[in-house]
Amino acid sequence: MTEVRLLQGQHLKAACSNCSALEFCLPFGLNTQELERLDKLILQRFKVRKGAPLYRAGDPLRLLYAIRIGSFKTSVLSLDGREQVTGFQLPGEMLGLDAISADEHTCNAFALEDSEVCPIHFSQLEKLARELPALQHNLNRFLSREIVRDHDLLMMLGNMNSDERLAAFLLNLSQRLSMRGYSSSEFILKMRRDEIGSYLGLRLETICRGIAHLREQELVEIAGREVKVLNMHGLKQLVVGCHSAVLH
Amino acid sequence: MTEVRLLQGQHLKAACSNCSALEFCLPFGLNTQELERLDKLILQRFKVRKGAPLYRAGDPLRLLYAIRIGSFKTSVLSLDGREQVTGFQLPGEMLGLDAISADEHTCNAFALEDSEVCPIHFSQLEKLARELPALQHNLNRFLSREIVRDHDLLMMLGNMNSDERLAAFLLNLSQRLSMRGYSSSEFILKMRRDEIGSYLGLRLETICRGIAHLREQELVEIAGREVKVLNMHGLKQLVVGCHSAVLH
DNA sequence: CGCCGCCTTGACTCCCTTCAATGCGAGTGG
DNA sequence: CCACTCGCATTGAAGGGAGTCAAGGCGGCG
């Protein structure tokens, strides 16, 4: 009995403290005891197959999800079937924060590749957050960061032309990947052209043409889903000035 | 001494419980004692003159603001001077939530008319939220609602044409005003055409033309800043189908 | 092989932008 | 009182960038 509890304890503790996404994720900055308490909230983590939904708009909010491995897209659908991709999420990022507003998911979340998530019971998370100020603050930050990201995207859709949007998208992805220990100059796109297009408020054909333009300028080499950034500085020049004055 | 404290107490208590925005604002659902504790966090409320900034991008986060009277716009600026209006806020709505992400405001907030706000010390609010679950939950909801709103706006910028965007904008404003006890069919726009345009990702000329189109269809009567909705149903028909399937 | 999903490219169209002129009301000063 | 300016709104004409439609390519897989 005691042994089982110990094993469980070890297993649960291992969930977060062993996670490669720890430093970008909800438990960032928590001490060991705090981490253990958060770990206890995390039900068995599970896999989501490529293309499978994690949740859908209209589902009641019970769980939030932290991405452990893989990537997701979130989107909203209009009644007449238009899709707007609202984001692409990487390990350490949270899914489902929009659902807190009305206790109901407003987005659909789909895995872009075979992935793994840590489900967190939201009401228990709120309860624990009252006792762990660092956790409470992290949750607030995650929510707020989502707002800031959406503002960046709004700036792109409202004020940038198609090539600028595409360059900004690639740079953003590059930066987030490099933060996670991947190469910033060579990576694989997990999403289709039409999903990039929806995210950027463009048609998939426009994405293809944008890619062709970047290739002509010898800024990138893109073959299918494979991206190589040949001239990072030149790529940044395309969007310098478009970005919020606050960042960097 | 005792009398002063009582007077103060009454004054502070009056701040929220007398406020016409109470039912949409942060203290919604708090009981009397809880309300009193929140009231104590609210420093002296103050006025902001039309056109004046409440805060600017880059300012450190110390205060959040609840709007008591009036209206604001928030916007982000790019380095090369492009402005993207990210929202128009009415009484009971919160300003500054984006700043939690990095302890620094990322938006500019300007009063669209002579207004009055309730400043709330953020770190104290976080502290109090640990003791008042309802307050904690409200704060989370406000943050999450902001995300949902941004998603709606993204859907507009990404998938709707200029007339649909304008109609959706007017309907949204109409609905929020009516929730606050104003007429849903007759109201005054507090913002300029170019601000509406920036919000909707369009030029001000396109807004003017959109208004002309709505007028030709006898859906609205718009003279300068004065709006009269003549055919609410018809206006809704324009955007039915464009909206997220989850809402309503 | 042949189908299917996804990507690419070209030609044409159209909606929104750009540029420009005009209107119009408020505030100011002669 | 009127002339003048200034900020904001309106409307027209022309141009361009992204959308639409269509054809074809490429690669994976039954």
Side-chain angles (χ1 to χ4, degrees):
Chain A
M1 193 63 169
T2 308
E3 201 176 312
V4 170
R5 210 176 291 145
L6 272 176
L7 280 173
Q8 265 199 340
Q10 280 192 329
H11 167 70
L12 289 170
K13 183 182 169 194
C16 277
S17 56
N18 273 352
C19 182
S20 67
L22 175 61
E23 48 187 320
F24 317 103
C25 198
L26 200 56
F28 174 73
L30 267 57
N31 66 36
T32 314
Q33 289 115 20
E34 294 174 329
L35 203 58
E36 236 169 85
R37 297 189 63 186
L38 176 59
D39 263 338
K40 289 202 183 111
L41 287 196
I42 298 177
L43 318 174
Q44 195 54 49
R45 61 179 192 262
F46 62 91
K47 295 180 198 301
V48 186
R49 306 294 297 194
K50 174 176 176 173
L54 179 59
Y55 55 80
R56 288 178 183 278
D59 290 353
L61 168 64
R62 289 187 53 258
L63 304 170
L64 298 179
Y65 302 91
I67 301 178
R68 191 176 154 84
I69 298 168
S71 53
F72 285 78
K73 72 163 178 176
T74 49
S75 62
V76 287
L77 272 178
S78 67
L79 286 172
D80 56 0
R82 294 180 248 193
E83 181 185 34
Q84 175 67 40
V85 171
T86 54
F88 299 110
Q89 291 81 19
L90 299 181
E93 299 180 328
M94 301 277 302
L95 288 163
L97 296 178
D98 54 280
I100 298 170
S101 161
D103 291 322
E104 191 175 296
H105 288 283
T106 62
C107 293
N108 305 288
F110 288 91
L112 292 173
E113 59 189 307
D114 289 352
S115 301
E116 210 174 310
V117 298
C118 301
I120 308 171
H121 207 280
F122 174 62
S123 58
Q124 288 176 23
L125 178 65
E126 257 191 333
K127 211 170 286 173
L128 185 60
R130 278 175 230 147
E131 300 176 35
L132 308 183
L135 180 62
Q136 179 201 32
H137 195 59
N138 280 356
L139 179 59
N140 285 334
R141 274 173 186 268
F142 266 85
L143 282 155
S144 179
R145 190 177 312 160
E146 191 87 17
I147 297 170
V148 174
R149 270 195 202 148
D150 288 340
H151 287 177
D152 287 347
L153 190 50
L154 285 173
M155 172 66 91
M156 288 168 69
L157 298 211
N159 289 287
M160 290 165 63
N161 68 31
S162 62
D163 288 356
E164 288 170 340
R165 291 183 213 184
L166 181 60
F169 165 75
L170 291 172
L171 285 168
N172 174 276
L173 198 55
S174 157
Q175 194 208 326
R176 284 157 67 206
L177 287 169
S178 91
M179 279 178 57
R180 285 163 179 77
Y182 298 98
S183 165
S184 64
S185 57
E186 299 193 17
F187 47 90
I188 308 286
L189 300 171
K190 302 299 185 180
M191 69 293 287
R192 300 188 306 266
R193 300 289 191 259
D194 65 333
E195 292 169 329
I196 300 174
S198 170
Y199 180 64
L200 298 177
L202 300 166
R203 299 288 118 178
L204 71 122
E205 295 94 329
T206 308
I207 301 301
C208 285
R209 282 185 248 272
I211 289 173
H213 297 158
L214 295 183
R215 191 173 15 235
E216 285 160 23
Q217 298 175 264
E218 294 182 352
L219 296 171
V220 298
E221 211 171 77
I222 300 186
R225 305 286 181 95
E226 281 189 297
V227 178
K228 283 188 195 174
V229 179
L230 302 177
N231 180 353
M232 187 70 77
H233 179 72
L235 202 57
K236 285 179 179 167
Q237 285 304 111
L238 271 186
V239 296
V240 86
C242 307
H243 269 302
S244 165
V246 171
L247 308 173
H248 307 258
Chain B
M1 192 61 171
T2 307
E3 202 177 313
V4 170
R5 208 177 291 144
L6 273 176
L7 279 172
Q8 266 199 343
Q10 280 190 328
H11 167 71
L12 289 169
K13 183 180 171 197
C16 276
S17 56
N18 272 352
C19 182
S20 67
L22 175 60
E23 48 187 320
F24 317 104
C25 197
L26 200 57
F28 174 72
L30 268 58
N31 66 34
T32 314
Q33 289 113 21
E34 293 175 331
L35 203 58
E36 236 169 84
R37 296 189 64 184
L38 176 59
D39 264 337
K40 289 201 183 111
L41 287 196
I42 298 177
L43 318 174
Q44 195 55 47
R45 60 179 194 262
F46 62 92
K47 296 179 198 300
V48 186
R49 306 294 297 194
K50 175 176 177 174
L54 179 59
Y55 55 78
R56 288 177 183 281
D59 290 352
L61 168 63
R62 288 187 53 258
L63 303 171
L64 298 179
Y65 302 91
I67 302 178
R68 189 177 157 84
I69 298 168
S71 53
F72 285 78
K73 72 162 179 177
T74 49
S75 62
V76 289
L77 272 178
S78 67
L79 286 173
D80 55 2
R82 295 180 247 193
E83 181 186 36
Q84 175 67 38
V85 171
T86 54
F88 299 110
Q89 291 80 20
L90 299 181
E93 299 181 328
M94 301 277 302
L95 288 164
L97 295 176
D98 54 280
I100 298 170
S101 162
D103 291 321
E104 191 174 296
H105 287 283
T106 62
C107 293
N108 305 288
F110 288 90
L112 292 174
E113 58 189 310
D114 289 352
S115 301
E116 210 174 310
V117 298
C118 301
I120 308 171
H121 207 280
F122 174 63
S123 59
Q124 288 176 22
L125 178 66
E126 258 192 334
K127 210 169 287 172
L128 185 60
R130 276 174 232 148
E131 299 177 33
L132 307 183
L135 179 63
Q136 178 201 33
H137 195 59
N138 281 356
L139 178 60
N140 285 334
R141 274 174 186 269
F142 266 84
L143 281 155
S144 179
R145 191 176 312 160
E146 190 87 16
I147 297 169
V148 174
R149 271 195 202 147
D150 288 339
H151 288 177
D152 287 347
L153 191 50
L154 285 173
M155 172 64 90
M156 289 167 68
L157 299 211
N159 289 289
M160 290 164 63
N161 68 31
S162 63
D163 288 356
E164 290 170 340
R165 290 184 214 184
L166 180 59
F169 165 75
L170 290 172
L171 284 168
N172 175 276
L173 199 55
S174 157
Q175 194 208 325
R176 284 157 67 206
L177 286 170
S178 89
M179 278 179 57
R180 284 163 179 77
Y182 298 98
S183 165
S184 65
S185 58
E186 298 194 19
F187 48 90
I188 306 287
L189 299 171
K190 302 299 185 181
M191 69 293 287
R192 300 187 307 265
R193 299 289 191 260
D194 66 332
E195 292 170 330
I196 300 174
S198 169
Y199 181 65
L200 298 177
L202 300 167
R203 299 288 120 180
L204 69 120
E205 294 94 329
T206 308
I207 300 300
C208 285
R209 283 184 247 272
I211 289 173
H213 297 157
L214 295 183
R215 191 173 14 235
E216 286 160 22
Q217 298 175 263
E218 295 183 350
L219 296 171
V220 298
E221 211 171 77
I222 301 187
R225 304 287 180 95
E226 283 189 329
V227 178
K228 283 187 195 175
V229 179
L230 301 178
N231 181 351
M232 187 70 77
H233 179 72
L235 202 57
K236 285 180 178 167
Q237 285 305 111
L238 271 186
V239 296
V240 86
C242 307
H243 270 301
S244 164
V246 171
L247 307 174
H248 307 258

